Every structure is written in structure tokens, then in C-alpha cells.
Amino acid sequence: MQNRYSWKSYFGVLSDYQQWANDRLFAALGGIDRALLRSPQGLFFGTIHHTVDHIMLVNRLWLARLRGEVVAVDFRQLTYPDWDQLIEATQRQAEELTLWLEGCPEDWFDGQLDYVSSEGEARSMWMRDVLTHMMNHQTHHRGQISAVITRLGGAAPEMDYVYYKREMEGYMEIIRDDQSLNGSATSPSSLE
């Protein structure tokens, strides 16, 4: 029998992956002089700091839309001028999305989202397309930042999804081994 993800499980895993990849990005950025984070680096949003702020703000905007809320955003301004607060907010936003998705019913992922764009236009998208955009948007900008890290002499973090999956599978093996040694059941529900 073939295991198949539901949309809910799929996007729950991808949302968790975003947090994992952000952790690696922020660790790599920890080795970069803080002044360089705010200096022009040729990114669409100019600086690394502004690009990370943009990632967080876009996630905030789309999560609000998914919840049926309206939030005003200004991509030209920094929402979090303090770097440490920005990292916290970005990770908190990613965790909030993961937890929120866990609470959504399975059929929600087959629905459509009607929303008003940043330009004031009425739009509609499938929920799974919105979520795919949210996940890819983060990956896109993390890739840009990773290129700047290497240009600045830092080591590019390994943020590929395959590394995330290998790490998670390694954790699951450890849990299964521990449960086998303790005589515990190893059903999927016992691993949650």
C-alpha cells in the first residue's frame, strides 16, 4: 500500500520545513557582520534585513487573508528594524501558520480564497495554490539571501528539502529504536 499525503498533511510538513530552513538561514546569517545585513546587497528589497522582513510580512498578509482578515502592509518600510526581533517574528509567524493549518479541516484545502489584493482588486485562488505560493515565496528569497552570504565569504546553508526530510527521518528512526528497546508500540499514532 502506498502512503499518500492529504493536502493538510502535505502543507503541514512544508510549513514545518519553512521553520527548519529559516533556522539554518538565520544560523548562517549569525556569522555575518550585522552592518552587512543592513547594507545594500543588490537584492530586490536591497538588504538582507529588508528581504527577511519582506518574507515575514508576506506570510503575515497571506495568513490574514486565509483567516478572512484584512491587514494593511507596506513593503517599502521595515516592520521590524531590530534584527533579533525580526528573527523572532519570522519564526513565530512560521510556527503560527503551522499550528493554524493543523486546525483546518481536510476539506478546507480544496476550497477557494476570495480576497482583495494589495492593489485593491478582488481576486480568487485555490487554497492549495495560495499555500504553494507562500512556501515557494520563502524559498525564493532564502535562495537570494544564501547567494549573498556566499558572496560575503560565508558558508551557504544547506536548506534543501531533501536534507530536512533526511533529518526528520533520522529523528523518527531514533524514536522507533527507543520504543523498540522499551517494548512500546510503534504505530504512527504513538509517534505523535
Side-chain angles (χ1 to χ4, degrees):
M1 185 163 121
Q2 182 181 18
N3 281 340
R4 294 170 55 186
Y5 273 159
S6 66
W7 284 118
K8 180 177 181 168
S9 296
Y10 177 71
F11 286 114
V13 169
L14 284 184
S15 186
D16 185 63
Y17 161 69
Q18 299 304 323
Q19 292 178 64
W20 177 91
N22 285 343
D23 283 342
R24 273 126 197 92
L25 179 69
F26 296 147
L29 288 170
I32 302 293
D33 183 311
R34 288 241 176 153
L36 292 173
L37 301 177
R38 291 173 88 54
S39 67
Q41 296 297 330
L43 296 165
F44 184 82
F45 289 94
T47 69
I48 292 171
H49 188 120
H50 201 154
T51 302
V52 172
D53 194 86
H54 172 75
I55 292 169
M56 184 281 309
L57 195 54
V58 166
N59 281 350
R60 179 179 289 170
L61 172 65
W62 280 107
L63 181 56
R65 287 173 175 166
L66 290 171
R67 290 177 166 161
E69 302 167 356
V70 177
V71 64
V73 297
D74 182 353
F75 296 120
R76 296 167 298 181
Q77 301 295 317
L78 283 175
T79 308
Y80 288 93
D82 179 87
W83 178 249
D84 294 326
Q85 289 177 352
L86 174 58
I87 290 173
E88 267 183 49
T90 302
Q91 289 301 70
R92 198 171 43 248
Q93 187 74 34
E95 183 177 344
E96 184 179 353
L97 175 63
T98 301
L99 293 172
W100 188 78
L101 289 173
E102 287 175 7
C104 291
E106 292 282 348
D107 62 348
W108 177 88
F109 294 85
D110 291 323
Q112 284 198 301
L113 174 67
D114 297 319
Y115 66 97
V116 176
S117 74
S118 299
E119 296 81 30
E121 298 175 18
R123 302 265 171 110
S124 184
M125 286 178 71
W126 291 104
M127 296 298 187
R128 57 186 171 264
D129 290 338
V130 170
L131 292 168
T132 298
H133 167 69
M134 290 175 72
M135 304 305 164
N136 284 332
H137 177 261
Q138 294 175 75
T139 302
H140 167 71
H141 285 299
R142 277 195 308 265
Q144 292 174 333
I145 294 168
S146 180
V148 172
I149 291 170
T150 57
R151 188 167 38 81
L152 295 174
E158 288 290 354
M159 298 178 290
D160 288 336
Y161 181 76
V162 70
Y163 296 113
Y164 162 80
K165 287 300 287 182
R166 288 176 187 159
E167 188 173 314
M168 295 306 116
E169 288 167 3
Y171 290 145
M172 293 305 292
E173 264 318 298
I174 291 169
I175 291 169
R176 286 184 192 104
D177 290 347
D178 286 349
Q179 288 181 340
S180 293
L181 293 173
N182 295 325
S184 301
T186 58
S187 70
S189 62
S190 70
L191 299 177
E192 297 179 311

